[in-house]
Amino acid sequence: MSLLNLIWLLLLASGIVVAAINGNIEVVTEAALGAAKGAVEVCFDLVGVMALWLGIMRIAEKGGLVAALARALRPLMVRLFPSVPPQHPAMGFIILNLSANMLGLGNAATPFGLKAMQELQTLNQGSDEASTAMCTFLALNTSCITLIPATIIGVRLSFGSANPTEIVGPCIFATSIAMLIAVSLDYWFRTYSRWRRLL
Amino acid sequence: MLFTILNVISTWAIPFLLLVIPIYGYLKKVPVYESFVEGAEEGFTTAVKIIPFLVGMMVAISVFRASGAMEYLSQALAPVTALLDAPSEVLPLAIMRPLSGSGVLGMATELMRTYGPDSFIGRLASVMQGTTDTTFFVLTVYFGAVGIKKYRYAIVTGLTADITGFIASIYICNLLFR
């Protein structure tokens, strides 16, 4: 059983127990129902953006653009994803996702990322267990550098910061270290299979 | 200068892709409109497939936060921030970072409103917000879209990266802004 089951249970159960002890159990119902509704809203917000980008990317894919991108970055990609054939379309979508992430184009990044996951899943024999390539991709994705953290710069600006963009350099520094650790740790897990089953 | 360049790229990237890809496809004799519709249909089904995963995760996180359990967790972890030479005010933000994008933005905004964006806390909160990603959200959505239920070591990797990100944020802010 994956660690996720335990984390999920702990979040939910400890929340309810704490609310009960504090005597405000009614917030649990409110939070749970509100979040359930919110989750569906997030997905529906995604529908339009997903449809637009996957539509556009289907054109790019059929024209051979995705494959060309994957070819260009092949030396790096085959090292990061040894289990994915170099010519596989997943490679192109992974690159597109990470590029969009770096540029802070969250709207474009998610559809590319999901398409990359679907392509990786075709190599996974319909399993419901994550493949090593998926884990590597998500390690890169969640620790990816954003060159312009636009939202937080906007917030700083709105509170009258003298230099709203001064945090960009430190962000890139901290994220680079996080990314380095993520990639190394992922490599370690991937290599020492003894640990894979435990987690 | 660098920021201006990056900003221009951000503004132009999407219109550029929307122009170049269809033209490129047309030149390559791809039936552009039909291909677009075909791909778009997939977008809809993918977005719908994520719903159950996201409901499960967002409900648990929301209950955890609304009940005050997160406050207790950050109080319990206060010695750790002291050890790292960081103000304990930013701890709830660090805990929230992997869980919820809107939650963490709300917290960072609140800290900047209270302490000012150019205070040490304000700067540290900004860097933490701009570092790493909402790991749980990304894992839920990405794995959910392809029906993966066993995440294996992906969570450990993601959370270790997050913790590394916070420590690195504290380190660099102490170095530059203290």
Side-chain angles (χ1 to χ4, degrees):
Chain A
M1 207 164 66
S2 114
L3 186 61
L4 183 69
N5 291 292
L6 187 64
I7 294 176
W8 189 76
L9 184 69
L10 278 178
L11 285 172
L12 196 60
S14 65
I16 295 169
V17 169
V18 167
I21 293 170
N22 285 348
N24 53 354
I25 193 76
E26 66 283 351
V27 302
V28 172
T29 315
E30 198 183 309
L33 297 180
K37 190 162 169 276
V40 177
E41 280 162 10
V42 169
C43 291
F44 272 89
D45 286 344
L46 261 178
V47 170
V49 188
M50 290 284 300
L52 172 64
W53 284 108
L54 289 186
I56 290 290
M57 289 324 293
R58 181 58 62 92
I59 302 173
E61 201 185 348
K62 283 193 176 170
L65 209 59
V66 177
L69 193 60
R71 251 196 321 277
L73 287 173
R74 185 174 160 170
L76 180 67
M77 296 298 283
V78 292
R79 279 185 183 83
L80 284 169
F81 299 94
S83 61
V84 181
Q87 304 297 342
H88 199 273
M91 294 292 210
F93 285 109
I94 290 171
I95 296 167
L96 285 172
N97 169 265
L98 296 178
S99 318
N101 258 333
M102 281 188 196
L103 294 173
L105 308 172
N107 283 340
T110 309
F112 293 157
L114 296 184
K115 186 72 191 157
M117 289 299 282
Q118 284 167 354
E119 292 294 343
L120 290 174
Q121 182 66 357
T122 62
L123 298 168
N124 200 19
Q125 282 109 31
S127 168
D128 68 346
E129 194 176 280
S131 68
T132 51
M134 288 175 182
C135 292
T136 308
F137 171 49
L138 290 180
L140 285 168
N141 178 299
T142 57
S143 63
C144 187
I145 298 165
T146 302
L147 297 175
I148 322 160
T151 323
I152 201 70
I153 293 173
V155 173
R156 293 175 59 78
L157 200 63
S158 73
F159 286 114
S161 168
N163 187 359
T165 57
E166 70 184 348
I167 51 104
V168 172
C171 278
I172 292 177
F173 169 83
T175 319
S176 305
I177 293 188
M179 198 172 194
L180 192 70
I181 294 291
V183 174
S184 317
L185 193 63
D186 175 75
Y187 179 79
W188 188 79
F189 276 130
R190 186 150 41 99
T191 315
Y192 299 95
S193 55
R194 191 164 59 91
W195 284 88
R196 281 190 202 158
R197 294 288 144 195
L198 285 174
L199 297 163
Chain B
M1 182 61 198
L2 182 68
F3 180 68
T4 319
I5 295 171
L6 291 173
N7 229 343
V8 169
I9 294 175
S10 298
T11 320
W12 282 84
I14 289 175
F16 176 81
L17 291 175
L18 287 177
L19 176 72
V20 169
I21 293 173
I23 289 178
Y24 173 84
Y26 189 78
L27 293 176
K28 287 267 178 176
K29 303 201 167 42
V30 174
V32 281
Y33 180 67
E34 285 156 36
S35 304
F36 177 86
V37 172
E38 202 183 292
E41 202 185 324
E42 201 181 312
F44 181 79
T45 49
T46 307
V48 170
K49 224 190 276 178
I50 304 165
I51 293 176
F53 295 89
L54 210 53
V55 169
M57 201 43 91
M58 280 176 69
V59 166
I61 291 168
S62 179
V63 168
F64 185 70
R65 184 160 58 131
S67 68
M70 209 189 63
E71 284 294 307
Y72 289 127
L73 181 59
S74 58
Q75 278 165 23
L77 288 173
V80 180
T81 39
L83 196 73
L84 293 167
D85 202 12
S88 64
E89 285 87 345
V90 298
L91 202 58
L93 190 136
I95 296 170
M96 205 61 199
R97 190 71 193 99
L99 301 177
S100 154
S102 53
V104 81
L105 184 63
M107 286 176 178
T109 308
E110 186 55 33
L111 285 175
M112 271 185 264
R113 198 178 63 82
T114 314
Y115 300 98
D118 297 329
S119 65
F120 184 71
I121 290 177
R123 285 162 161 168
L124 182 57
S126 304
V127 175
M128 282 185 165
Q129 147 78 31
T131 302
T132 78
D133 212 327
T134 44
T135 302
F136 276 91
F137 181 83
V138 171
L139 294 186
T140 305
V141 168
Y142 280 41
F143 279 140
V146 290
I148 296 284
K149 296 191 184 75
K150 296 171 189 142
Y151 294 9
R152 293 173 63 192
Y153 52 87
I155 291 189
V156 177
T157 315
L159 290 183
T160 310
D162 289 340
I163 294 169
T164 313
F166 303 139
I167 297 173
S169 302
I170 293 167
Y171 171 79
I172 191 76
C173 285
N174 272 328
L175 202 69
L176 293 178
F177 300 136
R178 271 278 197 217

